[in-house]
């Protein structure tokens, strides 16, 4: 799907502005401008993908490890690192649709919180994920403390490090896992004698929360397996595809070693996964134009092909910020299309034409497109529809700002 226009620039999908930034799909709940009411009757944006999350109750004052915000639908605004919710795969931005099988889309979030607190020790949530938050990023494949064999430095031997194997097949390691300020004070106090002995006042706690790993190991193509050459139990090794260094790790038990080896073995194989929005677009592009449900606008448009300095006619379908280009109304699938996230739309003159549609990208590094309908009134109809369709998408940083400026009422679980 993510291919540039080649010999014929009307073939393929132009997706550069979409992949250049992070976008949140807001759907038809946003003001839809000039799009006809009959085309915006959906009560739920097509972007929502439901899944079930089962959270085993942890310990402490907030045993579930997440926070929800007063809104409709209820939104997860915080997930504790290394908490029960994170381990279960709950993510910030998830919409809570049901708690323990009970629909909570139309009740106050305080009642939903009570349902969770009064329920069993395994909390079952039905949540929805926005299509723009993909590709359905799974939780880290594996994380925990391991001892790593050192090959340099003043002190040789085995050092305890916090390892995180992420979904993108990278193994990161830190001095510590994410810690609280109370833990920071305790660690500083415990190292006070050591610091005095070596006559230094500098101190640095490098943990996962700071997002600055000591190092990262690319797992794709690596060789992993148990090792008995060092005469130490529960040792396994990793030889990355690039480089000559072999990493040796030591777990606390045979079960723990097997857990890591299984996760690392999976990470050695390249995983390709489309963004969910690309999947949605691909599905729509394989349909005939009139089979695409609830389009924002449809009709004939001419598109300027600069390589040939000519206008090429297409039957076009506009849906959720994507303009699909068909060879004609009876075509079986789209020839290509344009992802419109971030584009500005305006009426402009071009050559001998007094009225055309200019699609201006957010940056000069991206492509500008020129379209033209049959007459000026049709151009205006398309401009109104395209503007409204683009507004369904919001840059991630703006969406986060909206969350920050939203209702302050939240509940910690």
């Amino acid at each position: 799907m993510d291919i540039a226009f080649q010999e014929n620039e009307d073939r393929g999908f132009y997706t550069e502005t979409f992949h250049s930034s992070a976008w949140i799909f807001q759907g038809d709940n946003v003001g839809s401008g000039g799009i006809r009411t009959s085309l915006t009757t959906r009560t739920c944006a097509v972007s929502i993908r439901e899944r079930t999350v089962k959270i085993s109750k942890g310990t402490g004052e907030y045993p579930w490890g997440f926070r929800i915000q007063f809104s409709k639908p209820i939104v997860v605004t915080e997930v504790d690192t290394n908490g029960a919710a994170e381990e279960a795969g709950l993510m910030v931005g998830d919409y809570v649709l049901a708690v323990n099988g009970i629909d909570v889309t139309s009740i106050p979030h305080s009642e939903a919180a009570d349902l969770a607190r009064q329920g069993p020790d395994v909390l079952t949530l039905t949540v929805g994920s926005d299509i723009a938050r993909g590709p359905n990023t799974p939780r880290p494949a594996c994380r925990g403390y391991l001892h790593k064999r050192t090959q340099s430095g003043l002190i040789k031997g085995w050092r305890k490090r916090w390892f995180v194997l992420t979904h993108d097949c990278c193994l990161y390691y830190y001095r510590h896992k994410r810690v609280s300020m109370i833990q920071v004070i305790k660690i500083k106090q415990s190292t006070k004698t050591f610091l005095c002995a070596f006559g230094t006042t500098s101190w640095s706690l490098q943990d996962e929360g700071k997002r600055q790993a000591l190092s990262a190991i690319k797992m794709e193509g690596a060789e992993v397996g148990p090792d008995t050459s060092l005469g130490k139990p529960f040792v396994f090794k990793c030889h990355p595809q690039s480089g000559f260094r072999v990493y040796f790790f030591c777990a606390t038990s045979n079960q723990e070693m097997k857990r890591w080896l299984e996760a690392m073995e999976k990470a050695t194989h390249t995983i390709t996964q489309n963004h969910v929005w690309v999947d949605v677009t691909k599905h729509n592009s394989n349909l005939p134009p009139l089979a695409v449900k609830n389009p924002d606008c449809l009709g004939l448009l001419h598109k300027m092909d600069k390589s040939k300095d000519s206008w090429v006619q297409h039957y076009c379908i506009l849906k959720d910020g994507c303009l699909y280009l068909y060879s004609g109304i009876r075509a079986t699938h789209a020839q290509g299309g344009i992802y419109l996230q971030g584009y500005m739309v305006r009426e402009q003159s071009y050559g001998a034409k007094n009225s055309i549609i200019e699609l201006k990208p957010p940056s000069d590094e991206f492509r500008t497109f020129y379209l033209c309908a049959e007459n000026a009134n049709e151009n205006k109809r398309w401009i109104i529809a395209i503007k409204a369709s683009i507004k369904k998408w919001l840059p991630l940083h703006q969406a986060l700002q909206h969350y920050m400026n939203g209702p302050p009422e939240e509940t910690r679980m």
Side-chain angles (χ1 to χ4, degrees):
M1 291 296 294
D2 187 14
I3 57 177
F5 291 21
Q6 298 175 353
E7 295 180 3
N8 183 342
E9 66 172 23
D10 295 327
R11 296 183 181 276
F13 276 77
Y14 186 76
T15 67
E16 288 191 29
T17 56
F18 174 73
H19 290 298
S20 67
S21 304
W23 299 89
I24 292 293
F25 182 80
Q26 303 180 104
D28 295 332
N29 295 325
V30 181
S32 45
I35 301 179
R36 298 195 306 274
T37 305
S38 61
L39 296 180
T40 59
T41 55
R42 297 198 298 274
T43 57
C44 181
V46 295
S47 66
I48 303 303
R49 173 174 289 182
E50 293 185 13
R51 72 184 195 281
T52 299
V53 175
K54 293 187 177 183
I55 307 173
S56 298
K57 191 173 184 178
T59 59
E61 187 177 358
Y62 306 109
W64 304 111
F66 68 96
R67 190 191 300 268
I68 55 176
Q69 177 176 287
F70 172 73
S71 59
K72 287 190 178 181
I74 297 168
V75 177
V76 177
T77 56
E78 184 179 337
V79 177
D80 293 347
T81 301
N82 303 323
E86 186 195 55
E87 290 297 319
L90 192 67
M91 294 183 287
V92 172
D94 280 339
Y95 305 101
V96 181
L97 306 177
V99 175
N100 293 328
I102 300 175
D103 188 336
V104 297
T105 55
S106 59
I107 68 173
H109 89 292
S110 57
E111 292 184 21
D114 289 339
L115 284 174
R117 293 192 183 103
Q118 297 166 8
D121 286 348
V122 176
L123 175 63
T124 302
L125 300 179
T126 301
V127 299
S129 299
D130 195 283
I131 58 174
R133 294 185 48 243
N136 292 334
T137 304
R139 60 191 173 97
C142 208
R143 68 197 315 163
Y145 277 111
L146 290 171
H147 283 83
K148 184 180 73 70
R149 191 187 186 206
T150 62
Q151 295 183 345
S152 60
L154 295 175
I155 305 175
K156 297 183 182 296
W158 296 86
R159 291 179 180 173
K160 189 177 181 180
R161 294 288 183 254
W162 176 256
F163 286 83
V164 178
L165 178 60
T166 60
H167 72 279
D168 59 354
C169 303
C170 269
L171 180 65
Y172 299 90
Y173 62 90
Y174 308 79
R175 286 194 176 89
H176 310 276
K177 71 175 181 178
R178 189 167 187 169
V179 295
S180 65
M181 287 305 298
I182 294 176
Q183 289 173 307
V184 168
I185 294 172
K186 288 181 178 180
I187 294 173
K188 283 187 175 183
Q189 290 175 343
S190 67
T191 56
K192 184 176 180 181
T193 303
F194 175 84
L195 295 175
C196 291
F198 282 85
T200 176
T201 57
S202 63
W203 192 89
S204 173
L205 176 65
Q206 195 158 14
D207 68 355
E208 183 188 356
K210 294 183 181 297
R211 300 184 181 276
Q212 296 176 342
L214 294 172
S215 186
I217 304 170
K218 194 68 175 175
M219 296 300 300
E220 290 183 24
E223 296 179 7
V224 298
D227 182 85
T228 58
S229 64
L230 300 178
K232 187 177 177 68
F234 318 133
V235 172
F236 56 101
K237 62 183 177 181
C238 171
H239 185 190
Q241 189 175 36
S242 58
F244 298 100
R245 180 176 178 180
V246 177
Y247 294 86
F248 293 90
F249 310 104
C250 183
T252 56
S253 67
N254 189 54
Q255 182 179 359
E256 183 74 357
M257 181 181 72
K258 287 182 177 180
R259 181 175 75 92
W260 275 101
L261 281 174
E262 181 180 350
M264 293 171 71
E265 179 64 31
K266 291 179 180 178
T268 61
H269 304 293
T270 303
I271 300 175
T272 57
Q273 186 177 25
N274 284 337
H275 190 291
V276 179
W277 178 242
V278 175
D279 290 337
V280 172
T281 309
K282 185 175 182 180
H283 170 76
N284 289 336
S285 68
N286 287 325
L287 299 174
L290 299 184
V292 178
K293 296 180 179 180
N294 301 313
D296 298 334
C297 199
L298 51 82
L300 291 173
L301 282 175
H302 291 80
K303 177 180 167 296
M304 167 55 69
D305 185 341
K306 289 188 176 181
S307 64
K308 299 178 181 179
D309 195 24
S310 62
W311 293 87
V312 180
Q313 180 178 274
H314 297 277
Y315 190 81
C316 297
I317 297 290
L318 174 67
K319 181 176 174 62
D320 296 337
C322 183
L323 185 66
Y324 299 85
L325 307 176
Y326 294 84
S327 59
I329 194 171
R330 293 182 177 83
T332 58
H333 61 276
Q335 289 182 311
I338 308 169
Y339 280 28
L340 298 173
Q341 289 82 358
Y343 270 89
M344 299 292 292
V345 189
R346 64 177 179 176
E347 194 172 18
Q348 187 68 277
S349 60
Y350 188 95
K353 294 184 180 292
N354 294 324
S355 176
I356 67 163
I357 303 167
E358 181 187 60
L359 301 177
K360 190 74 174 177
S363 171
D364 291 339
E365 63 183 301
F366 305 121
R367 188 169 299 171
T368 300
F369 295 95
Y370 298 96
L371 307 170
C372 183
E374 297 299 318
N375 53 59
N377 287 334
E378 275 291 284
N379 275 344
K380 290 178 180 178
R381 181 177 76 92
W382 273 100
I383 288 174
I384 292 172
I386 292 173
K387 284 182 177 179
S389 195
I390 292 174
K391 283 184 179 179
K392 294 182 180 184
W393 292 88
L394 189 68
L396 178 59
H397 66 89
Q398 288 186 24
L400 293 175
Q401 189 63 42
H402 287 184
Y403 273 126
M404 297 297 292
N405 296 334
E409 185 180 355
E410 290 184 320
T411 298
R412 184 81 181 270
M413 301 296 296

